[in-house]
Amino acid sequence: SLLPGLTFGQRNTNEIESKVPEYSIPDIFVNLKGQEINTIQDWVHLRRPEIVNLFEDNVYGNMPEAIDAINFTTVNENKMAMNGMATLKEVDIEVTNKTQKVTMRLILFIPNKTISPAPVFLLINHRDPENIDPTRKTKMGFWPAEEIVKRGYAAATFHVKDVSDDDKVTFSEDILSKLYPEELEKENGLRGLGAWAWGAMRAMDYFETAPEIDAEKAAVIGHSRGGKASLWTGASDPRWAITISNESGCGGAAMSRRQFGETVKIINTVFPYWFTDNFSKYNDNEALLPIDQHMLIASIAPRAVYVASASEDLWADPKGEYTSLQLGTRVHREIYNMEGNFPKEINAAGNPVHLPYAGHHIREGKHNLTPYDWNLFMDFADKHYGINSEN
Ligand code: GTR
């Protein structure tokens, strides 16, 4: 996953703090017409929609709203899953647009003993399908479904290949060519990451119909490329109570203008199918971006946002991720008057900061999503929802 012709050692030349250029940060609180944004009204009606549009046009591509029909079919149900602890439901979500159909499979474990309806965590899975094995023969820390259920949360997931394969050549074979072929012709058209976010939104469509699920207490989470998609989901779809980015880096939580670790040029070269075509205009030209990633965080406000990094994952730029969290959550504090603030300097690994509206932690170690991260996300959710973690 490196630039062609670049070796592993070489890429570390981007991972030196003193090489971060001076940059000016686009102002969240001034809109394109030059108006100052000070009120919730202006944020909701003038600025947030404008920012989301800028991200559509320049980064993730248009998010199509057209769906002619959506149907949910439970293809498998087991009330005694996880030794009786949970009910497993495998739900086919079939979306029709202009006579073409695409089906994505949602895997859902609902705790049998819990507050009903249950709050839910949806994981956008881009890695090996083994990570989300519904039979639980294979259990991976990437999706510790048993631990999630034990804490009273429903554990939901889908695999991105159902909506857009994570592959340069075949990414367009699912929703893109079937449901939204016109997007492929546009310079600001939907691409891979946006398609994954679209998939998360369809899972939410299902939660809203499912009596066992509390759709108002839903968290969307993704790791790395999945974390980029998760942030875009939460920024463009206000139905999520909590949006979680685990080590999402460039095109996710990290500020593009820092050019630390993975850069816009590198990501567009290696993964041209993730972002809309327009994003490559900013290769080596980050200063021209009308947004930076702090505004993606800002678009999630007033809903909660959590950004997690790993100490050895410099490629994802932990400091740049923290910077955008600090800056983006100004909307929570300054527009919505929410209490609490992040420390000025980034906290060391092992010292999570959980504010009422946002969370942050750094895990010791390498690029990954682990039970350590999940436990902190659930601690945050417990606190945010006012759930007694003893249940
Ligand atoms: C890397 C890529 C990152 C991140 C990561 C992952 O190769 O450069 O942007 O997405 O993969 O998804 O684990």
Side-chain angles (χ1 to χ4, degrees), residues 1 126 223-226 228 248 250 262 267 271 274 315 367:
S1 65
H126 68 273
H223 166 67
S224 202
R225 64 197 71 184
K228 306 177 209 291
S248 59
C250 181
E262 188 168 36
I267 207 164
F271 303 102
W274 281 358
W315 188 238
H367 188 63

Side-chain angles (χ1 to χ4, degrees), residues 14 49 68 117 121 154 205 245 287:
N14 277 345
D68 288 339
F121 278 85
D205 294 343
S245 143

Side-chain angles (χ1 to χ4, degrees), residues 43 48-57 60-65 124 190 193-202 204 220 228-240 243 295-301 303:
W43 172 252
R48 184 182 166 272
E50 183 178 83
I51 293 174
V52 171
N53 279 335
L54 289 169
F55 275 108
E56 288 198 52
D57 276 346
Y60 306 103
N62 179 45
M63 180 59 76
E65 273 162 29
I124 300 172
L190 183 70
L193 293 179
W196 303 351
W198 178 97
M201 294 175 196
R202 303 296 73 82
M204 173 56 96
V220 60
K228 306 177 209 291
S230 159
L231 286 175
W232 179 228
T233 305
S236 48
D237 178 359
R239 293 177 294 176
W240 301 87
T243 300
M295 290 155 88
L296 189 65
I297 306 270
S299 303
I300 296 167
R303 291 150 304 114

Side-chain angles (χ1 to χ4, degrees), residues 45 65 70 82 104 116 153 175 178 316 319 326 353 381:
H45 297 291
E65 273 162 29
I70 182 162
M82 297 177 170
M104 62 178 264
S116 186
Y153 290 93
I175 71 163
K178 294 201 179 107
K319 187 170 173 199
Q326 284 174 311
V353 181

Side-chain angles (χ1 to χ4, degrees), residues 37-47 335-336:
I37 306 298
N38 303 310
T39 64
I40 294 179
Q41 280 283 334
D42 285 355
W43 172 252
V44 170
H45 297 291
L46 298 178
R47 190 57 170 148
I335 300 285
Y336 287 94

